Amino acid sequence: MNIDHIEAFMYVVHFNSFHKAAEAMFLSQPTVSARIKTLEGELDSELFERQGRGIILTEKGKAFIPFAEQIIRTFQQGKKQLKAGSDLEEITIGANIITSQYFIPFALPLWKKNNPGLRFKFISATNEELLDKLLRKQVDIAFMKEVTHSGLRNHKTLDNSIRLVVYPGHPFQVQTELSVQTLAMEPLVFFECGAFDWNQVHKIFEVSNVEPRIEFQVNHLEVAKSLIVSGSCIGFLPYLCIKKELEEGTLVEVDVSHLIKIKQHIYLTHINQGMEAPLLWNDILFSIQEFGQNRHPSPLQSNR
């Protein structure tokens, strides 16, 4: 009996759809159907019945569910045990680049302190890579941009809104109701790295028919931030990367909410488990609260 066939059965049970199960497993619908057909042959029992365009579980299908769950659970536990080589339970956490740099170094020690019997594995990757790893069950939970997928659940966690920041003493620090024309005259750094839709920033200049004075265009947050701190320019940056500098006063936020509002969050994403909360849920909520109230360590030096 193939574990892939049993997993396909549980996915179809969960989504009540061959099509949705195939989407969640990154397989074609015929492949999922073939796996179910093979499983039914091995069990010598029909597990699903067609009802119009939908499907329903047969009585034998319902009876097989607890055994399927036990087989999958035992297989996963055995796989983790062999991989870890110890009695420690392992959790694999993923995060996109910006969360990896500015939140994870703060949170991981807290999670480990509260869960000494848990082995932590951490992966830093792009949002697209994290989505793939979640669906392939190579990552248990991931901090990333919101995704729309029937097999995943998103929980809004960290505020990562885009803010206009300047160096201390800049005239904008005391100016109210800043105009687009005045903003366009200042030297700007644009950080382009897929963090959000930069067209929103470009749009405020296009609508007013003015050309922004973009002196620097970079793909590294720390470079962009350092240029602003040095007094070379001003710029729009995501909150997570400037939280420390705003607290210390080495950067100052300028209110431009009358011109543009770019709200964005980091989401905690995991396989849809119904109403069941993901592992570490309470610890994660606590670490986010602490992160908002405390200064945090310097970011990791690497950046993709």
Side-chain angles (χ1 to χ4, degrees):
M1 188 174 290
N2 193 313
I3 190 70
D4 292 337
H5 299 167
I6 299 174
E7 285 188 335
F9 168 72
M10 289 307 301
Y11 267 90
V12 175
V13 169
H14 179 76
F15 292 106
N16 195 33
S17 165
F18 280 82
H19 174 73
K20 291 181 179 178
E23 182 184 66
M25 297 179 74
F26 268 51
L27 297 172
S28 67
Q29 184 169 329
T31 299
V32 172
S33 298
R35 290 183 180 185
I36 298 299
K37 194 71 175 177
T38 301
L39 181 61
E40 288 178 326
E42 292 175 334
L43 296 172
D44 194 24
S45 299
E46 190 175 7
L47 301 174
F48 298 97
E49 289 181 355
R50 294 280 180 179
Q51 192 175 58
R53 293 188 176 182
I55 57 171
I56 59 171
L57 269 169
T58 63
E59 290 302 316
K60 289 187 176 181
K62 293 177 183 177
F64 183 61
I65 288 175
F67 298 101
E69 290 176 333
Q70 184 177 353
I71 292 169
I72 293 171
R73 184 163 53 249
T74 301
F75 174 77
Q76 291 175 342
Q77 288 173 345
K79 187 177 178 181
K80 282 188 175 182
Q81 181 71 20
L82 292 174
K83 188 176 182 180
S86 73
D87 294 331
L88 289 178
E89 184 180 359
E90 182 177 276
I91 181 171
T92 302
I93 299 169
N96 59 12
I97 308 303
I98 189 167
T99 314
S100 300
Q101 287 184 283
Y102 301 101
F103 174 68
I104 295 299
F106 174 87
L108 266 180
L110 290 179
W111 299 339
K112 181 62 179 178
K113 181 180 178 182
N114 293 335
N115 300 273
L118 193 61
R119 182 194 300 274
F120 288 84
K121 181 178 178 180
F122 174 71
I123 296 174
S124 179
T126 65
N127 290 290
E128 292 74 18
E129 291 169 335
L130 291 173
L131 174 60
D132 180 66
K133 291 181 183 297
L134 279 167
L135 294 172
R136 296 179 184 276
K137 296 186 178 179
Q138 297 172 350
V139 166
D140 296 303
I141 57 176
F143 291 86
M144 57 191 294
K145 290 174 63 176
E146 185 178 18
V147 293
T148 301
H149 193 286
S150 57
L152 299 175
R153 287 192 68 185
N154 299 291
H155 305 269
K156 187 184 295 185
T157 54
L158 296 160
D159 176 21
N160 197 33
S161 300
I162 305 302
R163 320 287 179 93
L164 175 64
V165 287
V166 301
Y167 50 88
H170 189 282
F172 287 180
Q173 187 174 346
V174 294
Q175 189 167 341
T176 59
E177 294 294 315
L178 190 67
S179 70
V180 176
Q181 289 74 16
T182 302
L183 178 60
M185 294 172 63
E186 285 295 309
L188 286 164
V189 56
F190 262 43
F191 167 69
E192 299 263 15
C193 198
F196 73 105
D197 185 3
W198 283 96
N199 287 328
Q200 295 182 64
V201 176
H202 286 286
K203 199 71 176 177
I204 65 172
F205 297 106
E206 290 176 5
V207 170
S208 298
N209 199 28
V210 293
E211 189 72 23
R213 184 182 163 190
I214 302 174
E215 299 276 337
F216 309 97
Q217 192 163 328
V218 302
N219 68 348
H220 196 295
L221 278 171
E222 289 299 305
V223 172
K225 185 168 61 177
S226 295
L227 287 169
I228 300 172
V229 171
S230 70
S232 301
C233 55
I234 65 175
F236 291 88
L237 292 179
Y239 176 66
L240 283 182
C241 90
I242 54 175
K243 178 180 181 293
K244 178 184 174 185
E245 286 73 19
L246 291 176
E247 291 170 347
E248 295 177 345
T250 53
L251 284 177
V252 178
E253 181 182 356
V254 177
D255 181 14
V256 289
S257 57
H258 59 290
L259 298 177
I260 187 172
K261 291 181 181 179
I262 307 178
K263 297 290 184 181
Q264 65 177 17
H265 288 82
I266 301 297
Y267 287 78
L268 176 66
T269 305
H270 60 90
I271 293 292
N272 194 340
Q273 301 167 320
M275 297 303 293
E276 183 181 349
L279 190 64
L280 293 180
W281 180 241
N282 290 331
D283 293 304
I284 290 170
L285 293 180
F286 174 76
S287 65
I288 291 170
Q289 181 181 359
E290 288 293 297
F291 181 75
Q293 297 174 351
N294 292 276
R295 302 188 189 281
H296 50 95
S298 298
L300 303 177
Q301 294 304 308
S302 63
N303 193 357
R304 297 184 190 181

